[in-house]
Amino acid sequence: MDIETVASLSSFLAALVLLTAFAMLVQKRIYSLIHLFAWQGLLLSANTAVVGYVAAKHHLYISSLLTLSLKVVLLPYILHVLIHRLKIRKEIETIVNVPMTMLIGLALVIFSYHLTAPVRELSSLVTRSTLAVALATVLIGLLMMITRKHAVTQIIGFLAMENGLFFAATSATYGMPLVVELGVALDILIAAFIFGIFFFHINTAFDSLDVEKMAKLKEVD
Amino acid sequence: MTGGPILTEFLQIMLLLGAAPLFIGWVRTLKCWAQSRDTAGVFQPYRDLARLFTKDVVLAENASWIFRFTPYLVFGTAILAGGIVPMLSTDLPLGLSADVIVLVGLFAISRFFTALAGMDIGTAFGGMGSSREMMVASLAEPAMLMAIFTVSLADKSTSLSHIAEVAFSSQALLKPSLAFAFLAFVLITLAETGRIPVDNPSTHLELTMLHEAMILEYSGRHLALIEWAGMMKLFLFMALGSALFFPWGIDKSGDLSGILLAGGLLTIKLGVAGVVLVLIETGLAKMRLFRLTEFLGSAFLMATLGMLSFFILE
């Protein structure tokens, strides 16, 4: 495979990552959301391996494998177990105005394109054009956390944001040093466990994972 | 042996007129197989049209000229559109004078007049159908234009013949912008031709109709012309998709062997497109009307993402 083909493959994977980000933004069912998250992880892992091939950096293969095991297998599994244990029956969630959310998402993509334009001029890496997509993925994850009301979906939005950050690191600098990546992976894993524990506490205290219900904490109305 | 471009044009319009009912028949047959029902055969649409042509026209007393004129206009624009979309050859006299934006305009004119005719008689269902159709159109047309602009950007022209030639000769397979535009185009095709997640073409329940409600008052040859034009519209969208995204085999020079090859490849492409259409239709249920904004909104999203990824990634 020559470098041009590999670069276009990497752009294609980047486009697919962006597509999954948008799909997660508007998906209403929690289980489908987790599947989409796993798909995004898979695309990310494939992209990391492709970038590793282009840049001839072998530690990227390890971080690709790490992504595969953590974000495609382990985290979705933990989320599945969590939803099962918490007995979330009503898995369909209302989102504020889907077309509007999509338009805001589009605006975020344009914004991140303009924001990363100077970097694209300076950088000489093959993957420099995917930096805008990575930033857009981060911002869309943030948007997802804002527009959702259910705690579990907010966490999925947070994890999607982390996916975007990881993607940005791969496309801007051919990946962080392996030590840092191992640390981040461990952090995410620990975070997932802590979230799980918090969910159980929230659930027992409020009988719901709807964050709007937490307004009940106020002493006076 | 070479035929003139005019002859190619003529051949193509004949193909459109002749093969559009056959394609609908193929889709219906496949659908019957998928639902393990008995089929009426792939030639049933021809028999339906022939039957309608022999029947008398029943006109409402207060029908104006719009109501009588619309079937001919709808039929005429469908034929004209058939002269623009390169199905067999890119060497089309009409293709030089009219680009893809004109094509969208032609579809819009025929839809506008159908909506007027729906309201002309003054029945409740006609007005309801017109209002629904216009709602779908107002969402589908921007998405359609956006998807087409994406393809035009990638191939640097809005002329369909030129797009087909450039897309045929370019070697790049993994173009994210074209992939997004294609996804958007599939969603728009379902909406524009009234297929299942948007509209049910075989419904008999007036309350759920979109397109059918508008033409409920038509009968005889008027209905035959409108139905035929509807079949041609589906055929045209499939041919348009083939010209924009899979232009393999479309002839450039206009000689007979090339046209025959293009015809054979078009048959295969349409056969496959029919299977995909039936898979989509049997896999999905008709959407609630007010969820259509989400459906067509995502078509617009895909088309815009295609355009953005052209600038960002290519």
Side-chain angles (χ1 to χ4, degrees):
Chain A
M1 279 200 291
D2 61 310
I3 216 98
E4 278 298 308
T5 323
V6 178
S8 75
L9 184 64
S10 161
S11 322
F12 198 75
L13 288 170
L16 286 178
V17 168
L18 192 60
L19 187 64
T20 50
F22 269 101
M24 284 163 79
L25 189 62
V26 296
Q27 181 56 259
K28 290 176 182 171
R29 292 188 171 85
I30 287 187
Y31 280 108
S32 313
L33 204 57
I34 294 172
H35 292 157
L36 280 170
F37 175 71
W39 275 107
Q40 194 177 48
L42 185 66
L43 291 167
L44 214 56
S45 145
N47 186 62
T48 314
V50 168
V51 172
Y53 178 81
V54 175
K57 301 241 163 130
H58 295 293
H59 78 267
L60 278 182
Y61 292 133
I62 299 172
S63 79
S64 163
L65 277 179
L66 205 64
T67 313
L68 191 70
S69 54
L70 196 66
K71 285 172 186 158
V72 184
V73 183
L74 203 56
L75 281 178
Y77 175 72
I78 290 175
L79 287 168
H80 256 287
V81 171
L82 213 58
I83 289 170
H84 189 69
R85 291 265 177 84
L86 287 168
K87 295 189 179 64
I88 299 173
R89 300 235 188 276
K90 214 183 97 187
E91 53 166 284
I92 295 171
E93 190 194 8
T94 52
I95 318 170
V96 277
N97 197 349
V98 172
M100 197 61 210
T101 319
M102 285 199 239
L103 285 182
I104 298 174
L106 274 180
L108 288 178
V109 178
I110 298 171
F111 174 70
S112 42
Y113 173 62
H114 276 282
L115 204 63
T116 54
V119 183
R120 201 169 41 247
E121 296 296 318
L122 291 175
S123 169
S124 59
L125 304 186
V126 186
T127 53
R128 64 188 179 278
S129 58
T130 57
L131 185 60
V133 175
L135 187 61
T137 315
V138 175
L139 290 176
I140 290 170
L142 189 62
L143 181 63
M144 191 177 150
M145 289 180 74
I146 296 169
T147 54
R148 297 307 183 101
K149 289 174 186 157
H150 200 281
V152 179
T153 37
Q154 287 192 345
I155 292 313
I156 297 174
F158 172 78
L159 292 172
M161 259 176 88
E162 201 279 329
N163 271 354
L165 280 176
F166 176 78
F167 190 26
T170 337
S171 55
T173 64
Y174 285 158
M176 291 175 277
L178 194 56
V179 188
V180 180
E181 268 178 27
L182 280 173
V184 171
L186 194 65
D187 272 356
I188 288 290
L189 197 58
I190 299 297
F193 283 119
I194 293 176
F195 289 141
I197 295 164
F198 265 112
F199 284 159
F200 277 107
H201 281 285
I202 294 172
N203 205 27
T204 43
F206 294 95
D207 247 359
S208 160
L209 282 171
D210 192 333
V211 286
E212 296 222 316
K213 296 257 171 77
M214 290 179 198
K216 278 200 290 190
L217 277 176
K218 282 190 286 190
E219 289 186 352
V220 275
D221 278 323
Chain B
M1 182 187 150
T2 55
I6 307 276
L7 189 68
T8 322
E9 189 90 71
F10 181 71
L11 258 179
Q12 199 170 291
I13 290 171
M14 282 298 122
L15 175 79
L16 174 69
L17 284 171
L22 186 66
F23 180 61
I24 284 279
W26 167 240
V27 170
R28 286 187 191 156
T29 307
L30 279 175
K31 208 167 178 182
C32 286
W33 286 344
Q35 297 167 349
S36 51
R37 288 187 282 138
D38 276 345
T39 69
V42 285
F43 298 108
Q44 184 58 31
Y46 293 107
R47 291 192 280 269
D48 286 343
L49 286 179
R51 176 179 55 92
L52 283 174
F53 270 116
T54 56
K55 293 215 170 188
D56 280 338
V57 173
V58 181
L59 272 182
E61 276 172 15
N62 52 353
S64 73
W65 64 272
I66 292 178
F67 189 77
R68 272 169 279 139
F69 172 64
T70 298
Y72 301 103
L73 181 118
V74 170
F75 192 71
T77 48
I79 289 184
L80 192 55
I84 300 173
V85 179
M87 287 182 254
L88 297 177
S89 166
T90 55
D91 186 19
L92 299 169
L94 271 177
L96 295 176
S97 56
D99 63 3
V100 67
I101 299 168
V102 175
L103 188 71
V104 177
L106 282 178
F107 288 134
I109 279 189
S110 86
R111 167 179 278 141
F112 175 71
F113 268 89
T114 320
L116 279 188
M119 293 189 289
D120 188 46
I121 299 290
T123 60
F125 285 128
M128 183 196 75
S130 300
S131 111
R132 289 181 177 177
E133 179 85 358
M134 283 337 243
M135 185 197 103
V136 172
S138 69
L139 295 165
E141 253 164 45
M144 172 94 185
L145 278 175
M146 212 63 168
I148 279 170
F149 286 150
T150 307
V151 181
S152 315
L153 268 176
D155 295 333
K156 297 183 182 57
S157 168
T158 57
S159 155
L160 272 170
S161 302
H162 192 256
I163 288 175
E165 280 173 16
V166 172
F168 186 52
S169 52
S170 72
Q171 296 299 314
L173 284 172
L174 293 171
K175 273 196 175 174
S177 60
L178 285 185
F180 277 130
F182 178 65
L183 280 177
F185 186 79
V186 171
L187 297 184
I188 297 158
T189 303
L190 293 175
E192 288 262 343
T193 57
R195 306 306 297 188
I196 250 179
V198 179
D199 188 4
N200 188 351
S202 57
T203 181
H204 293 291
L205 180 65
E206 289 91 343
L207 279 176
T208 63
M209 287 177 173
L210 265 76
H211 181 72
E212 301 293 314
M214 285 193 296
I215 59 170
L216 213 53
E217 292 293 323
Y218 276 110
S219 55
R221 60 172 188 279
H222 288 165
L223 184 60
L225 285 177
I226 288 190
E227 295 259 310
W228 201 351
M231 295 170 188
M232 287 201 276
K233 192 173 181 187
L234 180 65
F235 189 87
L236 278 171
F237 264 87
M238 296 298 160
L240 183 63
S242 130
L244 291 178
F245 303 105
F246 308 102
W248 311 310
I250 294 178
D251 183 59
K252 287 187 201 66
S253 53
D255 62 306
L256 193 63
S257 60
I259 286 178
L260 282 179
L261 178 72
L265 274 171
L266 187 69
T267 315
I268 296 171
K269 280 189 269 192
L270 286 175
V272 175
V275 174
V276 174
L277 187 64
V278 168
L279 283 180
I280 294 174
E281 288 212 315
T282 36
L284 294 175
K286 188 179 172 301
M287 273 185 180
R288 278 193 301 126
L289 190 67
F290 291 107
R291 284 201 58 202
L292 284 185
T293 47
E294 289 172 25
F295 180 80
L296 292 166
S298 46
F300 183 77
L301 174 82
M302 302 268 190
T304 316
L305 276 184
M307 188 177 272
L308 288 175
S309 60
F310 175 77
F311 288 117
I312 296 176
L313 297 171
E314 284 167 28

